[in-house]
Amino acid sequence: MDTRISGGERRRALMLSSLGGGLEFYDFVIYAVFADVIGQTFFPSGNAVANLLAAFTVFAIGYLARPFGGIVFSHFGDRFGRKNMLRISIAGMAGATILMGLMPGYAQIGIAASILFVLLRIVQGLSLGGEIPGAMVLITETMPERRGLACGVLFLMINIGLLLAHVVQWALVSTLDPAQILSYGWRIGFLVGGAIAFLGFVMRAQLSESPAFAEMESDAHKVPLAMLLQNNMRGVIAGVFITGMGAVIVSMFYLYFDTYVTTLLKYPHASVAAASIVGIIIFSLPMPLAGWLADRTGRLRLPTFIGAGLLLVTCLPLYIWLGKGPGNVMAVMAILSILAAFAWGPTPAVLTAIFPTDVRFSGVAFTYNIGFAVIGGLTPLVSTALIHWSGNMLWPAYILLVFLALGLVATAVVKLKGR
């Protein structure tokens, strides 16, 4: 079989995989930015806090569905190919998001609205669990000599999806009053994301199968996950800790930071809002550069060692500085973000190089989704509990130190098979 692939096909694979990843992450995150009105619409209880808790419980259900989606999509991706799984994953996300935007609320159809909304959220989680690992695998197998740059571009686009969700929210709340947002405004955000994701599904018909999979397709395993756990257990353990390093960075800096600064440090919201947006931008833009550096030097792990190493030695002093007053928020976020870009940007490329082609999708999906679901999902809760128990506001820094150290050790000792 001729597995050669042209430069145009490589660029198309990078564009379509990265664009789809960003769009799917938009669809996943748009739920969070409208969680308050979703709670009122689908889980009304007469209490605003209870509504919000119910909405975020359903958000967490979608998050926890990601590992199961990763197992399912990677099973078929390692057996039958990467490109078809990417089309199915974006179709699932597009369909679920559009239906969520059209779904009648509790006031119209009662408890059925709540149940159906939860089921659609699970579909979103399952789809995202297959999407990002699948995109990582396809683009790095399509352009293995530039896998660092490919992953840097992919995660830049994923973060743009996060930004886009916030921009859409800002546009809607700036043009509609609260009653309009509750009535129909939040649905616009879902319908826009779903429609764009559907366009991505159509465009992905142009994707080519990765050359690496095409070469080994006839030797695919019947149960790739079983072969992964049987023959690559050291890589799986290392992959979870490598992913955990990225998960704790994303969770602590871009999901938990606002709550930490405003609720626990008691700083005004005005000191945080701009810093969060600037932080995401600073975190995102250097990622392709970090990946290019990894490819250019021929040392895939070099940017990770630089970025994560510097984070390791500076995060505690920076959190101490953060605690000195709200005027330090922007500077601390900017420094943390530029180091995080080099620590995490090309690191997914390392993850794809740990596993051989026959179980690569399974290996990446399993470790990536477990790392983010467990480590990324639990660190804010654990951090808050430890602060409450001890009164020490530096627990986020201590948790970062632990997982940065574990991730660096795992990155250093793991053998790269896919390069």
Side-chain angles (χ1 to χ4, degrees), residues 249-280:
I249 287 171
V250 172
S251 183
M252 286 298 195
F253 296 169
Y254 309 108
L255 299 179
Y256 182 63
F257 190 83
D258 285 23
T259 300
Y260 174 73
V261 170
T262 58
T263 304
L264 298 175
L265 293 183
K266 308 294 185 183
Y267 292 170
H269 285 273
S271 66
V272 182
S276 296
I277 294 175
V278 170
I280 293 172

Side-chain angles (χ1 to χ4, degrees), residues 8-9 11-21 23 83-84 86-88 90-91 94 131 138 157 193-209:
E9 289 175 308
R11 289 188 292 272
R12 185 163 57 248
L14 178 58
M15 180 192 72
L16 293 177
S17 297
S18 301
L19 180 63
L23 292 175
K83 69 173 186 176
N84 289 331
L86 283 178
R87 292 202 76 202
I88 294 171
I90 200 170
E131 166 65 28
L138 187 139
M157 292 301 298
I196 298 174
F198 179 76
L199 178 61
F201 165 76
V202 174
M203 293 173 63
R204 278 188 173 176
Q206 304 175 49
L207 273 175
S208 299
E209 187 55 79

Side-chain angles (χ1 to χ4, degrees), residues 160-172:
I160 288 175
L162 173 62
L163 271 177
L164 182 60
H166 285 282
V167 169
V168 169
Q169 179 204 30
W170 171 82
L172 290 171

Side-chain angles (χ1 to χ4, degrees), residues 302-327:
L302 179 61
T304 302
F305 291 146
I306 294 172
L310 288 173
L311 265 181
L312 188 69
V313 300
T314 60
C315 69
L316 183 57
L318 286 170
Y319 268 84
I320 292 172
W321 187 31
L322 179 65
K324 300 295 184 181

Side-chain angles (χ1 to χ4, degrees), residues 168-198:
V168 169
Q169 179 204 30
W170 171 82
L172 290 171
V173 299
S174 298
T175 55
L176 302 175
D177 61 43
Q180 291 172 318
I181 292 291
L182 179 60
S183 175
Y184 65 87
W186 68 271
R187 298 179 183 274
I188 296 173
F190 278 73
L191 294 174
V192 167
I196 298 174
F198 179 76

